[in-house]
Amino acid sequence: MKKLVKIGLALVVSFSLFSCSTENDTLVEDSKSNDLGLERIKIFDDSEDFKNTLRLFSTFNEVSDYEKWSYGHNYVSVYNSDKISIEDKNSTPYAFLFILNENKEFKIGNKLINYSDGIFYENTIDDSGNLIKEDKVIGTFEQELSPLEETELEGTASKVTLSVQNGTLYKPTNGWKEFDRNTYQSYCGTPKNKSLKYRLVHYLAVETLNLFGVTQSDVYFKLRMSHKGGSNWVYNNTTTERLYNVNVSGNCKMKFHTGSQSGNTQYFSLSSYNNCSNPLKGTKYFPLATHVFFNPTNTSLYKWEVSLSGTVFHKVNGDNQQFNANVNW
């Protein structure tokens, strides 16, 4: 299962560093009474230590690489947590699924960083271990602001171009298919009659993170399900179990606006599947490529160029219909 695909609906992570300290609102809290739980959190010595972890992440080729890294620490990450909903995980920057603990926190030096509703906050821990509650905003996570109908996401090309900035995405006209469900089963149980109008979708997306002088851009391949709820479409179904088998390969290139290439061509070969014993719910991320800028960067001057081909099998668990697609982007 080579690089998890990071493409489709462009998820763009955009961290803007700025100081919003409000002295008058500063509150000192006792760490014991508030149970900071620093023994159950990822602690980076300083910003350089944090950058080194991002450098390490940029070398990972499989989901299992992230999982192994996460298992080597003494906290439960967002990725491994059973307490955090699928919707919540889908709205968290991918790399931070492994860095954040179940309280959505990590520590850099004497700074406690926490993530909530698309915003990263920073608070200081003083020499006595007390938390100075400042809630200084140091970053934001930006993703699609409104649901996109599958019919709005059209396009055909031998090479896909995705902007690093503004969370662009790509889904060709053959990247989704609509069905009327006849039967449904939970895990490996007996299929039962259960109707539902739904769509199965696959696409490319980009996330971009800016933090502490680091700009990291990731490309993903994603699987998603939409369903008809009343008169409206729900564009990210997180409850219906699904099966998939993805076999795609290709390459990603980071290009400067003049057309010149920035960094090496990154090749991927993805083979991933599940079965009724571990069905998929919500959106499935497959990271394809990562590019890290270690200096302040104007991301509007850069774009991803992606070539991808292969096959995608996707179906609702227990239904007698399935989506088999040949991908050549």
Side-chain angles (χ1 to χ4, degrees):
M1 182 173 67
K2 290 277 186 179
K3 280 195 174 177
L4 311 172
V5 183
K6 301 176 180 180
I7 308 172
L9 298 172
L11 292 175
V12 172
V13 185
S14 177
F15 279 85
S16 54
L17 296 175
F18 60 94
S19 176
C20 287
S21 60
T22 52
E23 266 187 55
N24 294 335
D25 294 330
T26 297
L27 172 66
V28 178
E29 300 180 344
D30 182 82
S31 61
K32 293 182 180 179
S33 63
N34 286 278
D35 187 19
L36 295 182
L38 297 184
E39 73 281 359
R40 301 181 300 277
I41 192 171
K42 174 58 182 172
I43 300 176
F44 298 99
D45 294 335
D46 48 35
S47 61
E48 190 59 31
D49 187 23
F50 171 73
K51 292 177 186 179
N52 286 337
T53 294
L54 295 186
R55 287 187 179 97
L56 176 63
F57 282 4
S58 70
T59 68
F60 289 171
N61 294 319
E62 301 180 5
V63 182
S64 59
D65 294 328
Y66 290 89
E67 292 173 337
K68 289 175 184 176
W69 181 91
S70 179
Y71 295 152
H73 296 85
N74 63 346
Y75 62 93
V76 178
S77 67
V78 171
Y79 178 84
N80 291 317
S81 176
D82 295 328
K83 300 178 181 178
I84 297 176
S85 68
I86 295 173
E87 296 95 326
D88 214 355
K89 291 182 179 182
N90 286 341
S91 63
T92 301
Y94 189 79
F96 288 86
L97 290 174
F98 303 90
I99 292 175
L100 294 166
N101 67 5
E102 286 187 299
N103 294 326
K104 293 194 173 182
E105 297 173 333
F106 66 97
K107 186 171 175 282
I108 299 180
N110 68 335
K111 305 295 185 181
L112 184 67
I113 315 297
N114 73 287
Y115 176 74
S116 176
D117 296 328
I119 300 176
F120 282 79
Y121 299 93
E122 177 186 277
N123 294 288
T124 301
I125 300 172
D126 67 19
D127 293 339
S128 299
N130 298 319
L131 181 67
I132 303 174
K133 190 72 170 174
E134 300 162 302
D135 282 341
K136 182 171 71 173
V137 176
I138 61 169
T140 59
F141 177 56
E142 202 177 300
Q143 60 188 131
E144 51 186 315
L145 300 179
S146 60
L148 295 173
E149 293 191 26
E150 280 70 36
T151 52
E152 296 175 2
L153 307 176
E154 300 180 354
T156 57
S158 58
K159 291 183 179 179
V160 179
T161 299
L162 298 165
S163 172
V164 173
Q165 194 177 54
N166 300 328
T168 55
L169 58 86
Y170 175 84
K171 186 196 66 57
T173 52
N174 65 348
W176 65 278
K177 193 170 183 179
E178 187 170 306
F179 301 90
D180 288 309
R181 185 177 68 190
N182 298 309
T183 56
Y184 179 68
Q185 72 184 50
S186 179
Y187 287 91
C188 300
T190 303
K192 298 180 180 179
N193 294 334
K194 194 172 185 181
S195 63
L196 180 72
K197 185 178 288 293
Y198 67 93
R199 294 169 177 169
L200 299 177
V201 190
H202 53 268
Y203 56 92
L204 295 175
V206 174
E207 290 185 0
T208 299
L209 164 71
N210 298 302
L211 185 64
F212 298 120
V214 174
T215 299
Q216 177 172 319
S217 182
D218 299 303
V219 181
Y220 299 86
F221 183 83
K222 296 186 179 184
L223 298 179
R224 189 185 69 188
M225 174 180 168
S226 305
H227 72 273
K228 195 70 175 290
S231 60
N232 299 315
W233 281 91
V234 178
Y235 291 102
N236 185 25
N237 178 295
T238 60
T239 58
T240 302
E241 297 178 7
R242 301 176 345 255
L243 307 180
Y244 68 88
N245 190 333
V246 175
N247 290 276
V248 296
S249 61
N251 64 77
C252 298
K253 301 175 182 178
M254 178 63 73
K255 293 290 192 74
F256 195 54
H257 70 100
T258 60
S260 60
Q261 188 167 332
S262 176
N264 298 324
T265 299
Q266 299 183 52
Y267 297 91
F268 58 86
S269 179
L270 170 67
S271 179
S272 179
Y273 65 92
N274 70 343
N275 55 47
C276 61
S277 64
N278 61 336
L280 166 66
K281 292 182 180 180
T283 299
K284 178 70 175 180
Y285 286 63
F286 296 103
L288 295 182
T290 296
H291 190 88
V292 181
F293 304 91
F294 287 102
N295 295 301
T297 302
N298 182 355
T299 55
S300 66
L301 301 178
Y302 291 86
K303 61 186 178 182
W304 282 103
E305 185 178 273
V306 182
S307 295
L308 179 148
S309 63
T311 59
V312 177
F313 162 84
H314 196 185
K315 68 169 291 185
V316 165
N317 193 20
D319 198 10
N320 55 10
Q321 305 168 103
Q322 58 193 39
F323 187 11
N324 287 291
N326 292 315
V327 179
N328 187 18
W329 302 345

